[in-house]
């Protein structure tokens, strides 16, 4: 009989420690709901699950992008329908004025309404905005052409032209030591600046903003910013790294301003005389064709985005399910394991006590 090393007690203690470690892990899995709580649980599985989760996060945002893009197109769709209705009324007025049964006095009244409807088209276009971006004035999808002289100035950065007109040259000019003016052929805006640090110059009425380190009145005087038309705006409805047709849906909305030569081109059109009313009929027909083209593009894009939303939602669901299989705890299976380990821990504690007490028999030799 030996008392220096109680082998039975050591075996019981080792088994108890092993069971306790496994029981702790089981409790962690049951309480967190995850089978993988640390890399040691399953290094390869953790790596795969993290990749799936990363992909899922991208798909979730892509799904939100598609939904928001659909909302944007619905706003544009509603305004386009309104403009189409206005053109219907203008066509009716032009047809009425182009007939000999109407007097010049009547034509003057008809022309007054016609002029108001012309203005209403431009007002409708101007108020059709989503998150600060004009949708139907031809600037949706506007970009910096990169050819403006301001781009080459050291300290010039962060240029945004989301609300600017397309294919337009904007010129910066020093007003005085603390003011800069930005202007194009039709309008301008002056803002206050600072000669030190990094300035954020926000010409909000012009739809242009940028940052400049240093004194902008000295560095940007007479410099230009030139915009271009990308002809379309791209919505990311996939989580792939590349910007290609598999991940992007591009939409072109066009210019529906009545006053724009690149839009409905109704500037100067009137129905105050029979001849003018007759000419107006042709101009309105062309404008209707332009609006119908935009309506067709909107409808096609809305349908495409609906399908994209459905598809990306399905992808997100399946990727999440794949991650769940690897990362999540099978609660029924894990509770069965927990019950086994709980019993083993209690049995191990009891056997450790028995192994320790068995050495007490040595004392009988001293009696």
């Amino acid at each position: 009989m030996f008392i220096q090393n109680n082998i039975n007690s050591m075996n019981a203690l080792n088994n108890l420690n092993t069971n306790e470690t496994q029981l702790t892990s089981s409790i962690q899995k049951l309480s967190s709901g995850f089978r993988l709580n640390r890399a040691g649980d399953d290094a390869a599985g953790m790596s795969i699950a993290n990749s799936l989760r990363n992909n899922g996060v991208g798909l979730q945002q892509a799904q939100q992008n598609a939904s928001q893009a659909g909302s944007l197109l619905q706003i544009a769709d509603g305004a386009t329908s309104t403009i189409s209705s206005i053109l219907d009324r203008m066509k009716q007025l032009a047809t009425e004025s182009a007939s000999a049964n109407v007097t010049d006095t009547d034509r003057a009244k008809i022309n007054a309404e016609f002029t108001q409807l012309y203005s209403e088209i431009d007002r409708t276009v101007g108020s059709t905005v989503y998150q600060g971006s004009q949708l139907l004035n031809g600037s949706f999808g506007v970009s910096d052409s990169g050819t403006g002289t301001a781009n080459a100035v050291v300290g010039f950065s962060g240029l945004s032209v989301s609300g600017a007109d397309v294919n337009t040259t904007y010129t910066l000019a020093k007003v005085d030591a603390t003011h800069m003016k930005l202007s194009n052929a039709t309008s301008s805006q002056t803002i206050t600046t600072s000669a030190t640090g990094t300035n954020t110059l926000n010409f909000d009425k012009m739809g242009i903003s940028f940052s400049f380190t240093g004194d902008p009145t000295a560095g940007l005087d007479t410099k230009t910013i030139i915009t271009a038309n990308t002809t379309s705006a791209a919505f990311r409805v996939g989580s792939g790294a590349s910007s290609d047709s598999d991940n992007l849906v591009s939409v072109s909305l066009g210019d529906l301003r009545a006053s724009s030569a690149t839009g409905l081109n109704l500037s100067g059109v009137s129905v105050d005389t029979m001849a003018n009313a007759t000419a107006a009929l042709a101009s309105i027909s062309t404008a209707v064709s332009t609006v119908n083209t935009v309506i067709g593009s909107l409808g096609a894009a809305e349908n495409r985005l609906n399908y994209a939303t459905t598809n990306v939602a399905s992808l997100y669901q399946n990727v999440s399910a794949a991650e769940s299989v690897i990362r999540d705890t099978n609660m029924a299976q894990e509770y069965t394991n927990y019950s086994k380990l709980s019993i083993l821990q209690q049995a191990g504690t009891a056997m450790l006590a028995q192994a320790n007490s068995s050495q007490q028999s040595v004392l009988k030799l001293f009696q």
Side-chain angles (χ1 to χ4, degrees):
M1 302 177 70
F2 307 98
I3 63 173
Q4 292 293 338
N5 293 290
N6 189 340
I7 304 303
N8 291 333
S9 177
M10 293 171 64
N11 286 333
L13 180 61
N14 286 337
N15 289 328
L16 182 61
N17 287 336
T18 299
N19 289 335
E20 185 174 2
T21 298
Q22 293 177 353
L23 182 62
T24 299
S25 177
S26 181
I27 291 173
Q28 186 178 30
K29 292 175 182 178
L30 288 170
S31 61
S32 68
F34 292 123
R35 183 180 71 88
L36 306 180
N37 292 284
R38 55 191 181 86
D41 291 334
D42 182 354
M46 180 72 81
S47 176
I48 296 171
N50 285 344
S51 295
L52 289 169
R53 181 174 61 186
N54 182 267
N55 191 20
V57 169
L59 289 171
Q60 188 177 30
Q61 184 58 53
Q63 182 181 3
Q64 187 174 350
N65 289 348
S67 297
Q68 291 177 346
S71 298
L72 181 151
L73 293 180
Q74 287 174 10
I75 293 172
D77 195 355
T80 304
S81 296
T82 298
I83 293 171
S84 181
S85 297
I86 293 174
L87 288 174
D88 290 343
R89 178 58 179 165
M90 293 176 77
K91 182 68 171 286
Q92 185 179 11
L93 293 173
T95 303
E96 182 181 6
S97 182
S99 178
N101 60 287
V102 178
T103 66
D104 288 341
T105 301
D106 293 332
R107 288 190 180 92
K109 297 175 182 178
I110 293 171
N111 190 61
E113 181 182 352
F114 189 90
T115 302
Q116 289 296 316
L117 292 175
Y118 168 88
S119 299
E120 180 59 17
I121 290 177
D122 277 5
R123 191 205 65 79
T124 299
V125 170
S127 63
T128 305
V129 179
Y130 183 86
Q131 294 288 77
S133 296
Q134 294 278 347
L135 301 183
L136 297 175
N137 70 347
S139 67
F140 190 68
V142 66
S143 65
D144 172 33
S145 69
T147 60
T149 56
N151 297 71
V153 179
V154 175
F156 182 86
S157 63
L159 175 62
S160 171
V161 295
S162 61
D165 292 333
V166 298
N167 302 319
T168 302
T169 298
Y170 294 85
T171 303
L172 290 155
K174 173 182 178 180
V175 177
D176 54 41
T178 58
H179 293 86
M180 288 289 294
K181 180 173 73 173
L182 180 70
S183 59
N184 58 21
T186 60
S187 59
S188 64
Q189 182 182 0
T190 299
I191 63 172
T192 302
T193 63
S194 172
T196 59
T198 298
N199 288 272
T200 298
L201 287 79
N202 182 18
F203 294 94
D204 55 334
K205 296 180 181 178
M206 310 293 283
I208 292 178
S209 65
F210 56 86
S211 296
F212 186 75
T213 302
D215 184 1
T217 62
L220 296 176
D221 186 32
T222 73
K223 299 300 187 289
T224 60
I225 296 170
I226 303 175
T227 62
N229 191 353
T230 61
T231 70
S232 66
F235 302 105
R236 179 165 289 277
V237 295
S239 61
S242 59
S243 297
D244 53 32
S245 58
D246 293 334
N247 297 303
L248 300 175
V249 172
S250 296
V251 180
S252 296
L253 298 184
D255 187 354
L256 293 185
R257 291 174 294 177
S259 58
S260 172
T262 60
L264 302 186
N265 195 24
L266 294 176
S267 179
V269 175
S270 68
V271 293
D272 55 349
T273 67
M274 183 180 292
N276 286 340
T278 301
L281 289 172
S283 297
I284 293 171
S285 294
T286 302
V288 169
S289 178
T290 300
V291 172
N292 287 339
T293 298
V294 173
I295 289 175
S297 297
L298 280 169
E302 286 183 276
N303 287 336
R304 185 178 179 186
L305 282 169
N306 286 337
Y307 285 115
T309 301
T310 301
N311 180 62
V312 77
S314 176
L315 286 173
Y316 174 63
Q317 177 183 346
N318 292 330
V319 167
S320 297
E323 180 196 359
S324 178
V325 169
I326 298 172
R327 190 187 299 275
D328 293 354
T329 298
N330 183 328
M331 299 299 286
Q333 179 181 358
E334 192 57 45
Y335 189 77
T336 299
N337 188 47
Y338 166 79
S339 299
K340 177 192 74 174
L341 293 171
S342 181
I343 294 172
L344 284 174
Q345 185 189 41
Q346 296 177 51
T349 301
M351 290 303 98
L352 179 60
Q354 291 296 322
N356 287 335
S357 64
S358 65
Q359 298 294 80
Q360 297 295 323
S361 60
V362 174
L363 294 176
K364 293 180 180 181
L365 296 176
F366 298 98
Q367 294 177 359

